[in-house]
Amino acid sequence: MPLDTSTYTLGLLRLDGRRWNELRRIHAQISIQAAADGSSYLEMGNTKVLCTVAGPAEERRRGAGGGVSGSDEKASVVVEVSVAGFSGVDRKRRGRGDKRTSELQSTIASAFSTTLFTHLYPRSTITVSLHVLAQDGSLLAACLNAATLALIDAGIPMADYIVACTAGSTSAYSSNDESADPLLDLNGIEEQELPFLTVGTVGAKERVSVLVMETRVQIGRVEGMLAVGVDGCKQVREILDGVVRRQGVMMLGSTAS
């Protein structure tokens, strides 16, 4: 059944009650697994991701995970993504060779290999394990945000936060509507019917480090979608920064006591 986009004008609400430029609820925690070097749990709407970080550790032979190889001068970043069979509506279990999973691993590893200070850890491996517990849109963005929090929890130096979100358009490619309005943070139903992109930025500035678009859209709409996505990344960064600061206050309080 096609998605009804008649309520998507800038003055009205979307199907889930949000305005065009509103994020879904974001809930995040760090240091949730004591056995890991770093860990985090993040919810973006109904998309839920658990992330753990191991390392930097002595370099090992890379397995099924996607990653960027290191050298004697810097560490390698290995990303492993596992998608629970119950995470989606179709209850499909993805194997190790799944193309979609491999693309996620490669994109995340490439993003963090340029942001982490890998030159401080020669001949070592940083392993990021992401476990997708529920999917409802913005999966790549949620994985990037969760990995950022877990790497901060692990104490691995990086240039700044990598934060991400999605942005879309209110009309499909076939409608050829150049006046379509942009949307921020699409849910699962919207992603199935509307063109969208995932954008990730580094820090509070508008420096784009990740840009992925897998749907067709008129070139005239891309600029508006990208601008809305970058603005959404700024909002996400404020939320994640608040999570990190609250955790730091808690740690200082427990040390003082």
Side-chain angles (χ1 to χ4, degrees), residues 138-217:
S138 302
L139 178 58
L140 173 58
C143 289
L144 286 166
N145 295 332
T148 294
L149 290 176
L151 288 163
I152 291 172
D153 184 44
I156 300 174
M158 64 175 69
D160 210 322
Y161 294 43
I162 291 184
V163 292
C165 70
T166 57
S169 176
T170 55
S171 295
Y173 177 82
S174 58
S175 67
N176 198 26
D177 181 8
E178 292 289 347
S179 62
D181 297 322
L183 297 174
L184 178 64
D185 192 16
L186 277 66
N187 59 35
I189 297 176
E190 291 170 338
E191 285 189 357
Q192 292 176 18
E193 300 289 340
L194 301 176
F196 72 97
L197 56 81
T198 300
V199 58
T201 61
V202 178
K205 299 181 180 179
E206 298 181 357
R207 184 161 70 89
V208 175
S209 62
V210 178
L211 183 59
V212 177
M213 187 170 189
E214 300 175 350
T215 52
R216 300 175 66 188
V217 67

Side-chain angles (χ1 to χ4, degrees), residues 104-177:
L104 281 173
Q105 292 174 163
S106 177
T107 301
I108 297 168
S110 297
F112 284 104
S113 65
T114 58
T115 306
L116 296 173
F117 294 162
T118 54
H119 64 279
L120 299 177
Y121 307 103
R123 297 180 298 278
S124 60
T125 301
I126 300 169
T127 304
V128 180
S129 300
L130 291 151
H131 308 275
V132 180
L133 306 179
Q135 301 182 65
D136 186 32
S138 302
L139 178 58
L140 173 58
C143 289
L144 286 166
N145 295 332
T148 294
L149 290 176
L151 288 163
I152 291 172
D153 184 44
I156 300 174
M158 64 175 69
D160 210 322
Y161 294 43
I162 291 184
V163 292
C165 70
T166 57
S169 176
T170 55
S171 295
Y173 177 82
S174 58
S175 67
N176 198 26
D177 181 8

Side-chain angles (χ1 to χ4, degrees), residues 7-13 19-20 181:
T7 61
Y8 278 32
T9 57
L10 293 182
L12 301 177
L13 301 178
R19 294 181 176 85
W20 65 276
D181 297 322

Side-chain angles (χ1 to χ4, degrees), residues 10-29:
L10 293 182
L12 301 177
L13 301 178
R14 292 152 72 174
L15 298 179
D16 56 5
R18 291 181 292 147
R19 294 181 176 85
W20 65 276
N21 61 344
E22 286 185 339
L23 293 169
R24 292 176 291 175
R25 171 183 173 272
I26 296 179
H27 168 72
Q29 296 174 271

